[in-house]
Structures are given as C-alpha cells and as structure tokens.
Amino acid sequence: AQTVTQSQPEMSVQEAETVTLSCTYDTSENNYYLFWYKQPPSRQMILVIRQEAYKQQNATENRFSVNFQKAAKSFSLKISDSQLGDTAMYFCAFMKHSGGSNYKLTFGKGTLLTVNP
Amino acid sequence: NAGVMQNPRHLVRRRGQEARLRCSPMKGHSHVYWYRQLPEEGLKFMVYLQKENIIDESGMPKERFSAEFPKEGPSILRIQQVVRGDSAAYFCASSPKQGAGQPQHFGDGTRLSIL
C-alpha cells in the first residue's frame, strides 16, 4: 500500500514571495504518478501539477514547479511570486502507473497555505 | 465544457434517514470516482464506477453505502440510515479513461451534515 505524508499542517508566506510545500511518499512501485491538488475555501479540488515518475525533468506550470527526488521519495511544490488567490489547502497525491488499482488517488492530509498581503 | 457537477452542495439529514448524493461527470467522461473527506483529513477513495458497472468498491463501507452509475443520468452515492460518523465532504471525480496517470477532475463536493 502507498502512503503520502505532508509534514507541514500549516504554512504562511508574504505576497510575492516564494514558498515550498513538502511531500514524501512510500511505495514499492517503480513507476507511478504524483499530483498536487489545491482546495481553496470554495472547496473545489483543482489540479495544480502532475509528475510522471519515469521522467527526470521536474514538471512546471507557470508559477508552480516541483522538486521530484525519486530516490528520496520526495515531491515538493514550489510556488513563486505568491498571490492572495494561492491561499488554499494543498494536497499531494499518488497514483500507481499500472497493475491493480492504478486509478486510485492516495492523498496526504494537506498543508494549509495562507498568503498574507 | 461544464465541469463535474455535484448536488446538492450541502445536505442535512437526521440520524436514520437516507442521503442521496448526485454526480454528473464531465462531458465525454465515463469513469467516475467517489472520495470522502473527513475533517482535518485528506480525501479517501471509496468507489470507482464505469457506466452501469462497479469496478472497485473496496473503499466503501460494506453496510449502508451503495453507489451506481446508470446508463442514463448521474452517478448516485446512497447512504442509508445515516449516523453522525457519516458527516463529511463527499467528492466525485471523473476521467475520460482509466489509469495511466489520468488526471481526475473533481466536483465541488457535497457537505453532508448529520444532526
């Protein structure tokens, strides 16, 4: 079974600054996918970024980028030039690439990020 | 292109009543997933359905909970004889295909409160 750990329950950052949210996971799989989802106060779950484990290049999406360290089983999210609208709960999630249950997302408990003006 | 639609947004039930949560997937998506989010927790997988078929219900409690995704109409998550512990946010997600890292697109969720 896979587990996802987000060790920072809450974080805060000043507007326009950079913040990094950490995520570690445990799996015996060699190939898999990792995701970051954002859940603002409106509660909708929004996909932020996706990483394929067999790709060495870190995924980026505008101001969002990841630092994927496969050997360390670490998948941190960096938000540059933070904006007030980035205030949300951020969830890290894991999905197997193949085999049984390769559709289940396993989520961490989340990190509540507050961007201060 | 409308996203995943869930209704109602909020649902209040008394203990012992039934709760019905509805989910219409994105257009062109035939794979539906239900997740439950307890307070202070991440989302937990409950069930995966394709049209008219339950593929995996391993995350769903064996009793009182059922799910369906009929040929026509939305997917329904049904909770019979609700108890206080059923209070949670229930999220539906959909994808056009299964697996291979297919991103799942989520609805806004239904917040179920049990009095």
Side-chain angles (χ1 to χ4, degrees):
Chain A
Q2 285 69 232
T3 59
V4 177
T5 302
Q6 293 179 251
S7 58
Q8 305 149 315
E10 294 186 38
M11 293 190 72
S12 62
V13 64
Q14 292 299 122
E15 197 175 4
E17 292 188 349
T18 295
V19 64
T20 299
L21 309 183
S22 66
C23 171
T24 58
Y25 57 93
D26 190 24
T27 184
S28 57
E29 301 286 324
N30 187 52
N31 217 355
Y32 44 86
Y33 297 88
L34 295 162
F35 303 84
W36 278 98
Y37 279 88
K38 167 185 174 181
Q39 187 179 43
S42 65
R43 220 178 60 227
Q44 185 184 10
M45 292 285 288
I46 302 165
L47 177 64
V48 175
I49 203 164
R50 169 179 173 265
Q51 174 80 40
E52 300 169 65
Y54 55 88
K55 287 191 177 178
Q56 301 218 347
Q57 186 173 6
N58 288 323
T60 63
E61 195 71 41
N62 300 316
R63 297 182 295 107
F64 298 87
S65 61
V66 298
N67 182 5
F68 174 48
Q69 303 286 332
K70 190 173 183 181
K73 296 181 180 173
S74 170
F75 183 60
S76 60
L77 175 69
K78 185 170 90 170
I79 306 174
S80 304
D81 185 25
S82 297
Q83 299 175 1
L84 296 178
D86 295 333
T87 292
M89 184 72 87
Y90 286 82
F91 291 98
C92 179
F94 173 101
M95 182 190 284
K96 287 171 62 176
H97 177 272
S98 57
S101 302
N102 66 333
Y103 42 79
K104 286 184 190 178
L105 283 166
T106 300
F107 286 86
K109 289 192 175 185
T111 295
L112 178 61
L113 176 68
T114 302
V115 180
N116 298 309
Chain B
N1 191 10
V4 177
M5 304 299 291
Q6 287 189 250
N7 66 81
R9 191 81 195 271
H10 301 276
L11 182 60
V12 180
R13 285 286 178 267
R14 297 188 180 279
R15 281 178 292 172
Q17 291 184 319
E18 178 179 288
R20 278 183 178 244
L21 288 62
R22 286 177 290 279
C23 169
S24 296
M26 283 182 74
K27 189 175 180 181
H29 288 194
S30 59
H31 300 256
V32 166
Y33 316 84
W34 285 93
Y35 291 82
R36 177 164 67 174
Q37 184 180 29
L38 295 170
E40 314 294 324
E41 297 280 328
L43 280 69
K44 294 274 196 313
F45 170 84
M46 296 182 74
V47 61
Y48 162 39
L49 309 105
Q50 292 179 31
K51 281 288 187 182
E52 301 184 274
N53 290 305
I54 297 174
I55 307 301
D56 180 353
E57 55 183 350
S58 60
M60 206 155 63
K62 295 283 186 283
E63 297 179 357
R64 302 187 299 108
F65 284 72
S66 62
E68 62 177 14
F69 188 17
K71 188 177 180 182
E72 301 291 338
S75 175
I76 306 285
L77 179 67
R78 183 182 177 208
I79 310 172
Q80 295 178 290
Q81 299 175 320
V82 296
V83 300
R84 287 254 169 86
D86 297 333
S87 293
Y90 292 82
F91 286 89
C92 170
S94 72
S95 66
K97 299 177 187 176
Q98 177 213 314
Q102 284 289 317
Q104 293 176 12
H105 300 268
F106 283 81
D108 288 351
T110 293
R111 185 170 297 282
L112 175 64
S113 298
I114 309 301
L115 301 179

